[in-house]
């Protein structure tokens, strides 16, 4: 299922994208996290989606972030060519940092920042993994069982804060308000049996800036879950942003940054496109 959170007539609802278009309302069965983790709600949702007579919502609704992650765990430098364009060393173990809940944004949200805070905002298309079951110290071979679903993430990054102002720490320049758009939907893990074979792209104003495949990750999704869960209990709703492929603005010569009015889209095969517009204040 492709689960969504939507806003309609001033209320928030949950639903699933119907293969023939429109959204099937699942609000009475629970929110997206519940649909992901509660087997009974999940089966009821699947039955409703399969009903040929089901009513589909097509108008007057707006997609929001598919869920509010419990934690925003991010992996840096996880594609070889991105390590090179960042002039960084190849990591022996995953590079881990975090974003905070203020960074959450959804599909079509306008992302704003103040010009006196940053002038170097960059895009980072990433596969987002949402944990579906509590896990601690799981083996790599078992790790994918704990995935609830997948979504697109744009790990927006203020490079001047990340690299210049803050002596190399990541988090502050990555967690400005709205700097973690996710969506447009959360695809349940059963629809993506192999997360290491997905085309991933980023387009700025319809121009392709990143184009890669998740098979190019240095540490795959199973490696990341096994590694993280050695140190911390992962819980349902935790988001892992798995790192970005090459083609970020920082790596261009000369560097290119997002500007007022730019439209930035993250596209992942089997998930969809997450589009946001930039507004500089
Ligand atoms: Mg990133």
């Amino acid at each position: 299922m492709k689960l969504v959170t939507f806003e309609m007539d001033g209320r928030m609802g949950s639903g699933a994208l119907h293969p023939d278009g429109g959204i099937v309302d699942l609000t009475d069965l629970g929110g997206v996290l519940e649909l992901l983790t509660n087997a009974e709600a999940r089966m009821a949702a699947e039955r409703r989606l399969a009903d040929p007579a089901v009513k589909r919502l097509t108008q007057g609704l707006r997609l929001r972030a598919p869920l509010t992650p419990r934690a925003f765990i991010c992996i840096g430098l996880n594609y070889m060519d991105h390590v090179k364009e960042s002039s960084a060393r190849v990591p022996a173990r995953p590079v881990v940092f975090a974003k905070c809940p203020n960074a959450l944004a959804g599909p079509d949200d306008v992302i704003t920042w103040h010009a006196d805070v940053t002038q170097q905002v960059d895009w980072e298309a990433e596969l987002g993994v949402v944990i579906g079951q509590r896990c601690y110290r799981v083996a790599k071979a078992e790790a994918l069982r704990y995935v609830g679903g997948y979504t697109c993430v744009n790990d927006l990054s203020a490079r001047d804060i990340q690299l210049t102002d803050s002596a190399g720490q990541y988090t502050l320049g990555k967690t400005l308000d709205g700097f973690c758009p996710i969506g447009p939907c959360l695809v349940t893990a059963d629809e993506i049996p192999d997360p290491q074979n997905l085309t991933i792209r980023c387009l700025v104003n319809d121009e392709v800036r990143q184009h890669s495949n998740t098979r190019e990750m240095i540490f795959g999704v199973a490696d990341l879950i096994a590694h993280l869960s050695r140190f911390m209990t992962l819980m349902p709703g935790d988001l892992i942003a798995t790192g970005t492929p090459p083609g970020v603005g920082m790596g261009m010569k000369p560097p290119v940054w997002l500007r007022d009015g730019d439209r930035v889209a993250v596209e992942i095969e089997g998930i969809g496109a997450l589009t946001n517009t930039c507004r500089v204040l």
Side-chain angles (χ1 to χ4, degrees):
M1 282 188 294
K2 292 184 169 66
L3 298 171
V4 295
T5 295
F6 62 86
E7 189 175 344
M8 190 175 186
D9 300 329
R11 72 166 178 103
M12 300 291 278
S14 61
L17 301 181
H18 193 281
D20 296 333
I23 289 169
V24 174
D25 195 343
L26 302 172
T27 311
D28 59 307
L29 300 176
V32 164
L33 187 58
E34 193 161 10
L35 293 166
L36 211 57
T37 55
N38 178 325
E40 228 168 276
R42 171 81 162 261
M43 282 188 294
E46 278 166 2
R47 277 197 302 273
R48 189 174 301 175
L49 206 62
D51 178 354
V54 73
K55 192 172 161 242
R56 289 184 264 143
L57 307 171
T58 55
Q59 284 180 335
L61 48 79
R62 190 184 149 208
L63 293 185
R64 305 300 303 263
L67 84 167
T68 301
R70 196 197 73 117
F72 298 70
I73 304 161
C74 303
I75 306 300
L77 302 171
N78 199 25
Y79 286 75
M80 196 60 77
D81 286 344
H82 176 61
V83 175
K84 285 183 198 153
E85 73 181 348
S86 306
S87 308
R89 262 182 300 179
V90 179
R93 286 177 299 283
V95 173
V96 182
F97 64 98
K99 289 185 185 252
C100 300
N102 67 299
L104 183 66
D108 303 315
D109 279 350
V110 177
I111 310 299
T112 62
W113 60 86
H114 288 270
D116 63 353
V117 168
T118 173
Q119 299 195 341
Q120 297 186 357
V121 177
D122 205 347
W123 55 87
E124 291 196 356
E126 306 200 4
L127 174 67
V129 176
V130 174
I131 296 295
Q133 274 185 69
R134 181 183 191 277
C135 65
Y136 183 63
R137 295 181 75 88
V138 294
K140 180 183 170 184
E142 312 295 322
L144 290 185
R145 289 189 199 172
Y146 295 87
V147 175
Y150 298 93
T151 190
C152 303
V153 179
N154 192 344
D155 174 20
L156 290 166
S157 304
R159 301 297 185 200
D160 37 6
I161 301 171
Q162 179 191 347
L163 300 169
T164 313
D165 281 5
S166 56
Q169 57 94 356
Y170 280 28
T171 294
L172 186 61
K174 299 266 195 176
T175 198
L176 275 61
D177 288 0
F179 270 35
C180 191
I182 67 171
C185 59
L186 184 71
V187 181
T188 52
D190 57 299
E191 287 199 15
I192 301 183
D194 180 9
Q196 305 309 148
N197 188 21
L198 303 171
T199 302
I200 178 168
R201 303 202 304 167
C202 181
L203 296 90
V204 179
N205 301 326
D206 300 319
E207 201 175 291
V208 177
R209 295 287 171 81
Q210 294 180 286
H211 187 175
S212 186
N213 188 290
T214 55
R215 78 170 74 90
E216 304 296 334
M217 285 182 194
I218 298 170
F219 304 102
V221 174
D223 288 303
L224 293 173
I225 292 171
H227 180 75
L228 290 166
S229 76
R230 288 181 61 212
F231 303 93
M232 58 195 286
T233 301
L234 298 173
M235 295 293 287
D238 285 354
L239 172 73
I240 305 170
T242 54
T244 203
V248 296
M250 174 178 66
M252 296 173 76
K253 293 189 175 34
V256 172
W257 312 116
L258 289 168
R259 291 171 306 188
D260 188 62
D262 279 353
R263 288 179 72 251
V264 55
V266 174
E267 292 180 357
I268 301 178
E269 183 181 358
I271 301 175
L274 165 70
T275 305
N276 297 97
T277 305
C278 304
R279 179 71 55 216
V280 180
L281 304 174

